[in-house]
Amino acid sequence: MFKLARFLKGRITATISAPLCKLIEAIFELSVPMIIANVLDVGVASGDKSYVLKYCSIIAALAVGGFLISVTGQFLASKVALGFGTKLREETFAKINSLPVSVADRLGGASLVTRLTGDVMNCQNALNMFLRLVMRIPFVLIGSFVMSMIIDPVVSLMFLAMAIVLGSVITCVLKLTLPRVKKAQRNLDEISRLSAQSLTGARVIRAFTKQADAAEEFDGAAQTTAHTNIVAARFSALLNPLTFAVVNLAIIAVLWFGGVKVESGRLLQGELVALINYLTQAFFVIVTIGNVFSVFTRSSACAARVNEILDMSVPEDGTLDVIPDDETPAVEFRNVCFAYDGDYDVRGLSFTLERGKTLGIIGGTGSGKSTVACLMDGLYAPTSGRITIGGRDLTEIPPATLRRNVGFVMQEGYIYSRTIAENIAIAVDDGSAERVAHAAETACLDGNVEGFANGYDTVVGERGVTLSGGQKQRVAIARTLIRGTPYMIFDDSLSAVDSDTDAKIRAQLRKECKDVTTVIIAHRLTTVMHADNIIVMDGGRVAEQGSHKQLLEKNGIYKRIYDLQMALPDELKEEAAHA
């Protein structure tokens, strides 16, 4: 938690004032037992009603003043904690968005969501409690002990014995609880993952009537989390009863030994009442300490998970020219290998792509096509080998600079629950209606949009649920085209459109993107056959490479795919393209 203290910047005054208010409240509370003792031993004993009324008025004034100061302290603590939580959440969100894709994939989306929401909230609550109790708890505990020492040093030693026993109890309970709390937080990640999976895949689940299976899987994760929390709660539940038992034994001892002293005249009745009051105050503080440690145990686990995100290094942005000259290849892969989770997706990949030329990549499912696209866009770093963009090593190019120059259309482009125009213009700062319409026309989307009641102002559902698969892909293409980047990657982004629309879009791209260095990945051979160079991938390796004519003459894999797709009737070519 102390590593997160920088998020208190700008709130130092309130951060200091909140504990001070609680300190003043504690001073008022510690004054009351001595005043009560004085009322009993002087006012009541002498029958002086004015004396009793005078000091009772002081007690009432202290109570009202303590209430007002306490409310002020609570308000300031809450204000600081909310500001802290907001800043922490904002920076954590920004850091998550800047993490390399490989790191985000390793941590998992569900875990990142839990850290951003639940973990940050636990840290915020812990800070709120800390500000309210950081000065109050030790002051009341030490103050009670000091005041009792002033009244009777011998009887007050029971405070010390009680504190030692309770400290041992709290330490043992925390050692048993902390590992289980950490495990429970990890289990929450799984619940978040299953929740997101079920909600985003709701249509698939219903289509295959798998609601019962989804519910059973979720119930299993929920039961596991509940069991872990129950085990932790069993140990945590020991804290308060053990604390009550120790303190009650201390009160009994104080009453016994104090009563003997009162009977012998060595202690006044009011002083005995004050001793009991101070012991009770200490008791409530110690119970609070137990609850505080329980909250801090959970928040420490949460803070560690948040700090793991914040401590991750992110490449710095910068300005770098990645536009090649006429003699430098726009893109070059030199013996590039990439392994994901130990299994190689790409092995020994080498090719060059000149400026303004088009590279087509074709191959079966799992052959490594999409991995090449991710490597070129810097989403993954090669395990070995070298990649250059515009003559510069990819490791030297800041990620933000690279992506300002590389337009990447994924197979399943994410569509936001906004208007079509907003989905297209989200990629640029100046998304004028003219630019949006031009990009949509190039992506052959304008005809569809004109058929919508509200045109470009039509709001699509979550993840573009009201659009067809082909319309989603064309929105994603338009969103990339509006940026006008010198490099473009199309990762099977025409797979959901029919052959005629595919041909129209490619014709538009050739017209609009003459000087753009382009990589087209596809299953459909007609999509890539007009590329300047074509790579046929198989098992993560380059099986064949050349132009359409050269590959046909080799009579290899490409020729077999060509014969298969071209020989079929038109209605079956689409299915064969995905086979």
Side-chain angles (χ1 to χ4, degrees), residues 238-254:
L238 295 173
L239 197 57
N240 281 354
L242 288 174
T243 303
F244 273 95
V246 172
V247 173
N248 283 332
L249 287 174
I251 290 175
I252 291 171
V254 169

Side-chain angles (χ1 to χ4, degrees), residues 424-444:
I424 296 174
I426 199 171
V428 293
D429 295 329
D430 177 25
S432 63
E434 292 76 15
R435 292 184 67 184
V436 169
H438 182 71
E441 182 182 357
T442 305
C444 297

Side-chain angles (χ1 to χ4, degrees), residues 67-393:
F67 170 77
L68 295 175
I69 292 172
S70 176
V71 169
T72 303
Q74 300 268 83
F75 171 76
L76 292 174
S78 298
K79 184 178 179 181
V80 170
L82 285 169
F84 163 86
T86 301
K87 271 194 171 182
L88 176 59
R89 191 174 291 106
E90 288 173 351
E91 184 161 328
T92 305
F93 179 78
K95 195 61 172 285
I96 289 173
N97 275 336
S98 62
L99 289 177
V101 172
S102 56
V103 176
D105 288 345
R106 175 176 59 82
L107 294 174
S111 175
L112 294 175
V113 170
T114 303
R115 296 175 197 229
L116 183 63
T117 54
D119 289 353
V120 171
M121 181 60 71
N122 281 327
C123 292
Q124 176 181 311
N125 292 338
L127 175 64
N128 192 352
M129 181 174 283
F130 177 80
L131 292 177
R132 290 187 287 112
L133 302 176
V134 61
M135 295 186 71
R136 173 183 166 77
I137 282 180
F139 188 82
V140 171
L141 197 58
I142 296 171
S144 297
F145 178 71
V146 170
M147 296 301 287
S148 63
M149 284 286 290
I150 293 173
I151 296 172
D152 191 299
V154 177
V155 176
S156 63
L157 290 176
M158 296 174 188
F159 278 86
L160 188 58
M162 179 183 67
I164 294 173
V165 173
L166 286 178
S168 302
V169 170
I170 291 171
T171 301
C172 291
V173 171
L174 288 180
K175 284 185 177 180
L176 293 170
T177 304
L178 184 57
R180 290 162 178 83
V181 169
K182 291 181 177 179
K183 184 178 179 181
Q185 290 301 115
R186 291 193 297 269
N187 289 340
L188 283 176
D189 292 345
E190 179 66 9
I191 289 180
S192 296
R193 183 188 69 81
L194 291 174
S195 299
Q197 177 179 283
S198 297
L199 293 173
T200 56
R203 290 191 171 192
V204 176
I205 292 173
R206 284 165 175 75
F208 292 96
T209 61
K210 289 294 182 180
Q211 295 95 323
D213 292 344
E216 183 179 351
E217 187 178 11
F218 184 86
D219 289 346
Q223 290 295 334
T224 301
T225 303
H227 176 71
T228 305
N229 278 315
I230 287 171
V231 172
R234 283 175 182 167
F235 293 111
S236 242
L238 295 173
L239 197 57
N240 281 354
L242 288 174
T243 303
F244 273 95
V246 172
V247 173
N248 283 332
L249 287 174
I251 290 175
I252 291 171
V254 169
L255 284 172
W256 174 263
F257 290 105
V260 170
K261 286 196 170 188
V262 168
E263 188 177 11
S264 63
R266 289 176 294 167
L267 189 68
L268 298 175
Q269 291 181 356
E271 291 175 334
L272 178 58
V273 171
L275 281 173
I276 298 298
N277 280 334
Y278 285 127
L279 185 60
T280 304
Q281 285 184 0
F283 159 67
F284 283 117
V285 167
I286 292 171
V287 171
T288 304
I289 290 175
N291 292 329
V292 165
F293 275 111
S294 178
V295 171
F296 284 2
T297 298
R298 186 173 296 275
S299 67
S300 66
C302 294
R305 285 158 52 87
V306 173
N307 277 315
E308 183 184 2
I309 301 295
L310 297 177
D311 291 342
M312 289 181 177
S313 59
V314 176
E316 295 182 2
D317 192 13
T319 302
L320 196 65
D321 183 17
V322 294
I323 307 300
D325 54 39
D326 294 334
E327 298 179 359
T328 305
V331 181
E332 183 176 11
F333 277 55
R334 295 183 191 174
N335 198 29
V336 171
C337 297
F338 175 74
Y340 190 83
D341 286 342
D343 297 327
Y344 277 91
D345 289 1
V346 171
R347 302 168 184 266
L349 180 62
S350 297
F351 67 84
T352 58
L353 181 59
E354 302 301 324
R355 179 180 178 182
K357 300 296 183 180
T358 299
L359 171 69
I361 302 178
I362 193 168
T365 302
S367 60
K369 304 185 303 299
S370 294
T371 302
V372 175
C374 291
L375 287 168
M376 181 177 166
D377 196 46
L379 298 178
Y380 297 141
T383 306
S384 63
R386 186 167 183 253
I387 302 174
T388 61
I389 305 291
R392 298 183 182 276
D393 195 293

